[in-house]
Amino acid sequence: MLQRYLRLFLATLLAATCLADFAPVKPGVPLVFPRDYGAHPAFRTEWWYVTGWLQLPDGKEQGFQLTFFRSGTGLAADNPSRFAPRQLIFAHAALSDPAQGRLLHDQRSARAGLGLAEASEQDTALVLDDWSFRRLPDGRYEADIPTQDFHYRLTLTPSQPMLLQGEAGYSRKGAAAGLASYYYSQPQLKVGGSLVRTGKTVPVGGVAWLDHEWSSEIFDQDTVGWDWVGLNLDDGGALTAFRLRDAAGNTRWAGGSRRDAQGKQIPLGPNDIHFIPSSHWTSPRTGVRYPVGMSLQLSGPLQESWQLQALIPDQELDSRQSTGTLYWEGAVHASRAGKPAGRGYLELTGYGGRLRL
Amino acid sequence: MKPAATPPWRLLTHLAWLGLRAQPLRSLACMLAILIGVALGYAIHLINDSAVNEFSHATSSLSGEADLTIKGNLPDTLYPAIARDPVVAATSPALEVQAHLPSRNEPLQLIGLDALRAAKVVPRLLGQPAAGPADGTQGLALLEPDAIFLSPAALSWLKLAPGQSLTVQVGLQDVRFTVAGSLPAAGAGQRLAVMDIAAAQWRLGRLGELSRIDVKLKPGSNLADFRQRWLPRLPAGSRIDTPAATGERSANVSRAYRVNLAVLGLVALFTGSFLVFSTQVLSLLRRRSQLALLRVLGLRRRELMAVMLLEALALGSAGSALGIAAGLAIADAALKLLGADLGGGFFNGVTPSLHVSPWALVGFFLLGLGATLTGSLLPAWEAAAAKPARALKSGDEEAAFARARSPWPGLALIALAGLLLPLGPVRELPIPGYAAIACLLVGALWLMPWLTARLLAATPKRWREGPIAGLALTQLKEAPGYAGIGLAGILASFSLMVAMAIMVASFRDSVTEWLGQVLPADMYLRPASSGDTVYLSPAEQALIRSTPGVRQVVFQRLQGVILDPARPGVLLQARELSAADAAERLPLVGPATAVAPGMTPIWISEAVADLYAVQPGNRLQLPVRGKSLAVQVAGIWRDYATQHGSIVMTLDDYRRLTGDQQVNNAALWLAGDAAGVQAALRSRLSHGERLEFAMPGDIRKMSLQIFDRSFAVTYLLEAVAVLVGLLGIGVSFGGQALARLREFGMLRHIGYRQRDIDRLLAVEGALLAGIGVLAGLAVGWLISRILIDVVNPQSFHWTMRHSLPLGMLLLVSLALVGLAALTAVLAGRRALRVGAVRAVKEDW
């Protein structure tokens, strides 16, 4: 029952129909930091998305993911109550342990306010009950995420400059003007900290990726979902690629960027990116079939061919309890010409029905 | 003849069946008496149980999966601190109000909820949006500021459907909501509305306030620890409850009322059992020679007793089974027609469905069966014990009664009643009081044959000389055993009726007098009759005061106050009066006491004094609106309006201590005519049409109507008891008439006409009833003293003065004597239809 309610709730909140006037995403607006590390409540939707690989002391690897969503409701603008539901905050966290064979995950959700759920407008500083994710003055990020199955306390240290996606942070999501987001990434984050599982605390290292994106209208009615991948390459480079799909599985829009080991960034346009499924996995729980192996072909300015293979096939995330969505979000190995070349995260949404965001 | 070894059961059951069939009417009367007793007792139990069950369901669905509920006037800043407590797994804050709906007399329970928080603690309170446009926007309805979700019971009560609007009165103003959907998981009979907490705070004028926080603790956390840690940090008057404690308290609220009703139900069963007793005695007397014959033919004493008890078993089973069925029907009808509390006002907002537990069903069946067997045991034993040779002889019947003629057991029981009286209540119920009444009654019943015999023996001889009256008196005197049985039935039911009548009359007189004292003004005004969302603001107060034709105004602020978390709240009435006035304006019980200089005086109702053991001069900390006020008791007053206690303080003190400027009602003294002032007030205040006016006469009338209605059930039960008593007279006279066939035959023989025999029976019946009525008056008066001075103060915590409804008692006494005479004649005639001539022949 709980699920049904929350799904209904969120499906609505994140629906593309405009319920109130939210700020439009316009090109040519320079991002200003540290202000833009913080939240942008004038826009409908916003997320901070951390994905990465954890290195355990015994050499084994696990994927982890942490997302904070902020959603403007367009409601209660003039209500002086401390509970006024102007903004809602949701978060989920997941751990992909090959030994477990599937995701461990948990979520939180609340209306913003009362110090229990806050998204600072000054800097990245997110609190949701006992979960927190914040940027420290020295630029490092700290995540403290206790869940029912695990508890991680991680410090993420940037090793490279930030990466502004699209045109200096203005990332188009469709042919129509206005279908866009403000979007920056922080690849190659060095992971340190600890992971508690079944009462045991172990130190962890690894590499992670942060996306921060905000928008009021991110895709149109004809889009049912997207594929997204962010790869931390072993040589220090970074590759971002996404495409938006229609119901038939055709690409409606695509985009991304490729930064090489020297720091040179090449933007990727809608015609430069081709996702070609190479293997599938069908969820025994939901019956949804995901292309968990992908061949990613880049054309245009770059001629590169990447093979993406899931760390474990079952990384389906049923977050219908918080964001009302059902998708696959998993750690992937990246290889090029048959050689391992990087680690990253692949996100496959809208395979179980149209994604509402 | 050699006695048979062991007669088969079939023979015994056959004999029992013959016994029943031989006297079908008498069997029917017995069954009916048991049926009525069981039906009433069971119906009352069912109604109470269903109500309590529904009520506790309602409370438990409010607290859902919470381990603890914090209740009180909580600032909403407290909520994050609780939510962050390390042992807390999840919390759900809520603002609960009793919302007044214009044109409705009962308020609607309205809960402002944070849907996202509630989902983890009280998921049953989440609204389900009605199907809206298919764009998926309906989910947001849970947060919409004007969306309200109604439980199915509330929807049908208000005759609303999703999409329609619901108006809540806040102060004098309207706040309009849209019914956005229902609460499918709410209790079946629970009237409930849920909306977003922020909108509730804002639109109901309760910014910053919470009334409850439901808390789910992490597994393994210590409940008591949490309570101990937080209770001192909560505003005064808050409490931390477990759901079980909440349910228990809600059941306790109505317990005294329920127990009193149950006792009345048992009285009917007791009278029924008594009727079985008298019927069985008479039946056995009549069959005395038959039974003796059976003994002579070889039936053993034990077996004869088994036959008697089998008869009782058959009667009891049939009567109880039918009684259970009738009880179910009565309870079902009563719940539908009168509501859960039979007009008692304890379970508002809940319309229960019938709740049938197998244990109670079996229990009441066994109770009915037990009552029948108890009633039959003594007569059966007596019949079995009789010496067959003597019993075979005609006219031996009276010998059977000799055993029961010693007055000592009766006197001992009455003495025991006296000893029980000074004992205090048990678990706040007047158990010793009820036990004393039972002892007194049974003792009096026991004494009745003995007393009758003494009384009749003492009559002057010449009274026994007339052809009709003389004969009647002689008959009663010579057969006091028979007389005693008929009499006891009258005594049992009539004394209880007298007791109730005196008690109710005393109560009613006291309430009438009290109403006169507490309603001194010319006119009363309030913004609405129900809910806690209505009030008068300071500006509105000033307007009322300055209205032409208004000579004087006394405003009053009402506020619930929790003195003891384990008890229901007490009503604080802050009134415009000076400490010096209090003694005159309040119906004080006992003298007023001066408070220490600088102390704030309060006047407590009897219930507060009783329940919290507080006396004038005592100092208290009064938790009001989250503040703890130091006060001193200046006097005790009589308050029939609030059962759980009320406290009066001056409005000046209240405002000085709390800063709260709103009021809930006003008493007006007028210089002009009432209609003109009403019109002026309505036009001067915005939404003045919402004001409700009442004249003291109307309030008095309405209060007494409510009073009478709540005692209607009592009257009904009493009437049934008297009916059963009359049934007893009928049975006893029918039986006697049969036994006296020969006598009547002889009377006809010597020239008495049928009319004369009717008159003879009528006089006997009237005489018997007369004695019963006199005794019933005496015993009833004693019982009424116990009810008024012991049972009532212990159950309801209020005292009353004694009144005697002489006219009514006289009328009922005469009616009963008349009815008894009529019953005697009818029963006698029926029995004598066989014809006098054949009757005389019988022995010849």
Side-chain angles (χ1 to χ4, degrees):
Chain A
M1 180 155 77
L2 188 123
Q3 282 194 15
R4 185 162 58 81
Y5 280 109
L6 284 168
R7 182 169 59 196
L8 189 64
F9 212 160
L10 277 132
T12 307
L13 282 171
L14 304 172
T17 31
C18 227
L19 287 161
D21 292 331
F22 287 102
V25 175
K26 290 184 245 172
V29 180
L31 299 189
V32 179
F33 295 94
R35 161 67 191 93
D36 283 326
Y37 290 124
H40 304 81
F43 296 82
R44 173 191 292 281
T45 309
E46 181 161 22
W47 59 73
W48 294 259
Y49 225 120
V50 183
T51 51
W53 286 62
L54 295 178
Q55 204 88 45
L56 276 72
D58 58 6
K60 289 192 176 125
E61 288 180 314
Q62 293 182 5
F64 82 97
Q65 175 250 317
L66 165 65
T67 318
F68 275 85
F69 288 95
R70 178 201 57 74
S71 243
T73 62
L75 294 175
D78 47 356
N79 184 345
S81 164
R82 288 189 180 90
F83 286 92
R86 286 184 277 272
Q87 302 285 334
L88 304 183
I89 296 181
F90 308 97
H92 46 84
L95 197 65
S96 302
D97 180 359
Q100 198 76 26
R102 60 178 186 84
L103 288 185
L104 302 173
H105 62 99
D106 201 357
Q107 63 261 312
R108 298 282 186 274
S109 52
R111 62 185 72 202
L114 295 140
L116 295 174
E118 303 287 350
S120 164
E121 293 178 43
Q122 266 72 57
D123 203 336
T124 303
L126 296 146
V127 174
L128 183 46
D129 294 339
D130 49 352
W131 289 13
S132 65
F133 180 67
R134 55 172 57 91
R135 192 178 159 275
L136 303 176
D138 61 8
R140 289 181 302 157
Y141 291 89
E142 256 185 8
D144 185 1
I145 308 294
T147 75
Q148 54 194 1
D149 298 320
F150 57 88
H151 181 175
Y152 52 70
R153 283 193 203 87
L154 302 177
T155 307
L156 312 173
T157 311
S159 62
Q160 293 180 357
M162 156 203 306
L163 195 160
L164 298 177
Q165 302 281 8
E167 300 152 35
Y170 173 78
S171 171
R172 298 188 60 180
K173 302 293 188 219
L179 287 177
S181 66
Y182 294 112
Y183 182 11
Y184 68 85
S185 303
Q186 186 68 69
Q188 302 286 3
L189 287 162
K190 280 208 175 63
V191 179
S194 62
L195 171 68
V196 183
R197 282 276 304 277
T198 57
K200 271 186 283 183
T201 308
V202 291
V204 290
V207 60
W209 178 294
L210 166 71
D211 270 358
H212 180 196
E213 194 164 8
W214 61 100
S215 167
S216 291
E217 198 179 4
I218 205 153
F219 54 68
D220 58 20
Q221 290 292 324
D222 294 325
T223 304
V224 299
W226 68 73
D227 303 332
W228 173 94
V229 66
L231 295 176
N232 283 314
L233 302 178
D234 294 344
D235 65 1
L239 172 59
T240 315
F242 62 86
R243 67 154 177 163
L244 300 151
R245 303 186 318 275
D246 64 14
N250 299 318
T251 301
R252 285 184 57 76
W253 189 263
S257 66
R258 169 79 167 93
R259 182 152 82 178
D260 66 17
Q262 287 70 46
K264 188 170 159 249
Q265 186 177 334
I266 297 156
L268 300 170
N271 300 316
D272 304 341
I273 293 171
H274 311 277
F275 281 92
I276 301 153
S278 58
S279 64
H280 286 89
W281 170 79
T282 304
S283 166
R285 292 178 299 276
T286 62
V288 178
R289 187 166 178 262
Y290 300 96
V292 298
M294 282 277 199
S295 167
L296 176 62
Q297 304 291 336
L298 305 183
S299 58
L302 285 170
Q303 300 291 325
E304 289 179 0
S305 175
W306 295 87
Q307 292 302 319
L308 309 177
Q309 199 52 50
L311 172 67
I312 47 172
D314 185 355
Q315 299 189 77
E316 184 185 46
L317 215 156
D318 188 352
S319 78
R320 289 177 290 194
Q321 283 191 46
S322 64
T323 52
T325 51
L326 172 67
Y327 57 105
W328 192 97
E329 165 108 50
V332 290
H333 291 283
S335 58
R336 204 176 159 191
K339 291 195 190 91
R343 294 173 184 81
Y345 252 74
L346 174 65
E347 190 178 33
L348 305 167
T349 72
Y351 287 91
R354 182 173 189 271
L355 184 82
R356 289 200 171 104
L357 192 70
Chain B
M1 187 198 289
K2 196 181 159 207
T6 309
W9 274 105
R10 278 186 53 191
L11 175 63
L12 297 187
T13 46
H14 184 66
L15 285 172
W17 168 240
L18 285 179
L20 289 174
R21 214 184 47 181
Q23 299 155 296
L25 263 191
R26 194 174 294 174
S27 303
L28 205 67
C30 264
M31 226 168 71
L32 202 64
I34 292 298
L35 186 158
I36 292 174
V38 169
L40 280 181
Y42 188 52
I44 288 173
H45 166 84
L46 274 178
I47 293 166
N48 284 334
D49 196 41
S50 302
V52 168
N53 196 52
E54 190 66 35
F55 206 66
S56 69
H57 254 301
T59 5
S60 76
S61 82
L62 290 188
S63 45
E65 293 162 31
D67 299 311
L68 293 167
T69 300
I70 303 172
K71 290 191 94 170
N73 285 298
L74 312 169
D76 61 12
T77 45
L78 178 77
Y79 162 65
I82 304 262
R84 276 197 213 103
D85 188 288
V87 304
V88 167
T91 53
S92 173
L95 174 67
E96 268 181 312
V97 296
Q98 297 294 326
H100 173 69
L101 312 176
S103 78
R104 291 277 169 182
N105 289 327
E106 273 182 70
L108 174 66
Q109 181 172 23
L110 198 165
I111 303 181
L113 211 60
D114 180 340
L116 284 166
R117 298 294 188 187
K120 286 183 181 156
V121 186
V122 283
R124 286 202 273 173
L125 292 185
L126 289 175
Q128 183 175 53
D135 61 1
T137 53
Q138 76 264 37
L140 206 53
L142 291 172
L143 299 179
E144 289 276 3
D146 72 337
I148 196 161
F149 294 83
L150 297 180
S151 68
L155 280 173
S156 69
W157 177 50
L158 298 169
K159 298 188 183 60
L160 285 176
Q164 294 182 297
S165 77
L166 172 73
T167 303
V168 170
Q169 187 181 333
V170 178
L172 277 178
Q173 311 301 317
D174 273 349
V175 177
R176 207 174 293 274
F177 297 102
T178 304
V179 180
S182 71
L183 299 166
Q190 195 175 10
R191 287 178 196 160
L192 186 66
V194 169
M195 60 182 295
D196 182 59
I197 189 169
Q201 283 191 330
W202 186 30
R203 306 196 62 198
L204 304 176
R206 301 291 183 91
L207 281 172
E209 291 180 32
L210 292 179
S211 50
R212 65 187 287 160
I213 301 174
D214 290 293
V215 180
K216 204 158 123 180
L217 298 181
K218 287 181 181 157
S221 313
N222 188 326
L223 233 84
D225 242 26
F226 179 89
R227 191 203 298 257
Q228 238 166 33
R229 200 143 37 82
W230 277 100
L231 210 48
R233 295 159 68 182
L234 299 177
S238 311
R239 59 183 186 222
I240 302 182
D241 276 348
T242 57
T246 312
E248 198 175 309
R249 186 175 39 246
S250 67
N252 280 348
V253 168
S254 59
R255 197 176 56 173
Y257 179 77
R258 287 183 286 119
V259 167
N260 280 303
L261 271 186
V263 166
L264 282 174
L266 287 179
V267 165
L269 192 58
F270 172 75
T271 329
S273 162
F274 199 79
L275 182 71
V276 170
F277 170 73
S278 37
T279 315
Q280 284 294 86
V281 167
L282 292 166
S283 147
L284 293 178
L285 284 179
R286 212 187 139 250
R287 287 149 62 196
R288 205 168 161 77
S289 43
Q290 294 171 29
L291 297 175
L293 192 64
L294 282 175
R295 289 267 286 128
V296 171
L297 288 176
L299 216 56
R300 280 175 227 171
R301 192 169 283 190
R302 215 162 14 108
E303 288 150 3
L304 189 63
M305 199 157 155
V307 172
M308 305 288 104
L309 290 182
L310 273 174
E311 282 182 22
L313 200 70
L315 286 177
S317 311
S320 301
L322 290 172
I324 294 278
L328 277 167
I330 295 173
D332 192 47
L335 282 180
K336 283 187 182 127
L337 295 174
L338 297 171
D341 47 9
L342 303 176
F346 290 108
F347 300 107
N348 285 334
V350 167
T351 34
S353 46
L354 206 57
H355 178 253
V356 181
S357 91
W359 293 114
L361 196 145
V362 171
F364 272 89
F365 180 82
L366 290 180
L367 209 59
L369 202 58
T372 326
L373 288 177
T374 313
S376 312
L377 202 59
L378 197 66
W381 181 73
E382 157 63 36
K387 295 225 161 36
R390 271 191 63 199
L392 266 174
K393 290 194 191 111
S394 215
D396 170 63
E397 292 89 341
E398 274 299 318
F401 291 108
R403 215 180 298 271
R405 267 196 215 145
S406 159
W408 295 113
L411 290 174
L413 277 169
I414 293 175
L416 182 61
L419 290 177
L420 281 168
L421 279 179
L423 301 180
V426 176
R427 292 187 64 222
E428 299 198 359
L429 290 173
I431 307 280
Y434 284 132
I437 292 177
C439 286
L440 182 61
L441 195 59
V442 176
L445 288 174
W446 187 279
L447 282 181
M448 235 24 235
W450 179 78
L451 259 180
T452 320
R454 289 294 131 102
L455 205 66
L456 291 169
T459 49
K461 197 164 182 297
R462 60 189 166 80
W463 288 13
R464 283 177 244 137
E465 279 164 5
I468 304 285
L471 195 59
L473 210 53
T474 311
Q475 157 67 21
L476 292 181
K477 177 178 173 290
E478 295 310 317
Y482 271 122
I485 286 165
L487 242 165
I490 295 277
L491 174 67
S493 55
F494 187 65
S495 61
L496 287 171
M497 178 171 199
V498 167
M500 285 308 289
I502 296 179
M503 197 273 279
V504 172
S506 302
F507 199 177
R508 202 173 190 283
D509 284 357
S510 301
V511 168
T512 311
E513 184 187 291
W514 175 81
L515 283 169
Q517 281 175 296
V518 296
L519 297 170
D522 298 328
M523 186 165 82
Y524 294 85
L525 168 163
R526 61 184 173 182
S529 56
S530 66
D532 51 16
T533 56
V534 289
Y535 51 83
L536 293 167
S537 67
E540 288 160 342
Q541 293 164 36
L543 274 172
I544 292 170
R545 225 184 266 285
S546 62
T547 300
V550 172
R551 193 157 50 84
Q552 194 200 338
V553 188
V554 167
F555 286 114
Q556 182 170 251
R557 177 64 166 155
L558 303 175
Q559 196 88 87
V561 168
I562 306 285
L563 287 183
D564 174 354
R567 290 187 181 282
V570 166
L571 184 71
L572 175 66
Q573 314 178 356
R575 228 178 255 182
E576 278 185 304
L577 87 175
S578 71
D581 287 349
E584 275 172 49
R585 299 256 203 96
L586 292 171
L588 289 184
V589 183
T593 330
V595 298
M599 281 307 285
T600 305
I602 57 165
W603 295 266
I604 58 175
S605 72
E606 290 175 299
V608 175
D610 243 31
L611 290 170
Y612 302 90
V614 190
Q615 289 308 313
N618 288 169
R619 295 181 184 207
L620 290 180
Q621 289 294 319
L622 211 56
V624 184
R625 296 173 74 87
K627 295 195 172 95
S628 187
L629 317 182
V631 295
Q632 192 176 6
V633 179
I636 299 178
W637 63 294
R638 186 171 281 171
D639 182 12
Y640 290 129
T642 50
Q643 197 198 323
H644 304 297
S646 59
I647 295 176
V648 168
M649 78 190 302
T650 71
L651 191 61
D652 284 346
D653 284 338
Y654 174 81
R655 288 185 163 164
R656 179 171 51 80
L657 295 168
T658 65
D660 174 24
Q661 300 294 324
Q662 296 173 348
V663 298
N664 296 84
N665 56 42
L668 308 176
W669 280 260
L670 308 178
D673 75 307
V677 174
Q678 287 184 11
L681 282 166
R682 286 194 202 277
S683 67
R684 281 164 68 91
L685 270 69
S686 108
H687 279 289
E689 75 281 358
R690 287 283 162 70
L691 292 175
E692 287 179 10
F693 295 96
M695 311 309 282
D698 299 336
I699 301 180
R700 215 166 292 151
K701 210 171 108 194
M702 208 177 66
S703 306
L704 289 175
Q705 261 171 15
I706 294 172
F707 179 92
D708 291 339
R709 204 177 53 203
S710 61
F711 277 100
V713 177
T714 315
Y715 289 134
L716 180 78
L717 291 178
E718 286 312 307
V720 169
V722 168
L723 203 73
V724 173
L726 277 175
L727 214 59
I729 291 220
V731 165
S732 116
F733 269 86
Q736 258 181 305
L738 275 180
R740 289 162 66 192
L741 276 178
R742 276 159 277 162
E743 179 195 335
F744 293 141
M746 179 58 76
L747 288 177
R748 288 300 298 272
H749 210 67
I750 60 170
Y752 276 67
R753 286 160 300 171
Q754 177 63 42
R755 262 211 349 254
D756 298 323
I757 292 181
D758 284 355
R759 277 167 63 201
L760 173 69
L761 284 171
V763 171
E764 279 183 26
L767 260 175
L768 200 58
I771 298 173
V773 160
L774 283 180
L777 283 171
V779 175
W781 181 76
L782 281 174
I783 294 177
S784 80
R785 300 293 299 212
I786 302 179
L787 286 175
I788 293 173
D789 293 335
V790 178
V791 171
N792 247 287
Q794 288 177 7
S795 300
F796 302 110
H797 309 287
W798 49 47
T799 57
M800 58 186 89
R801 59 189 189 78
H802 297 261
S803 320
L804 267 183
L806 284 177
M808 184 216 183
L809 290 179
L810 189 68
L811 206 71
V812 176
S813 301
L814 289 178
L816 195 60
V817 170
L819 275 174
L822 191 69
T823 314
V825 172
L826 290 180
R829 271 208 184 164
R830 222 213 123 265
L832 293 179
R833 216 173 283 158
V834 276
V837 181
R838 255 180 62 201
V840 183
K841 278 185 188 157
E842 199 187 50
D843 249 11
W844 269 261

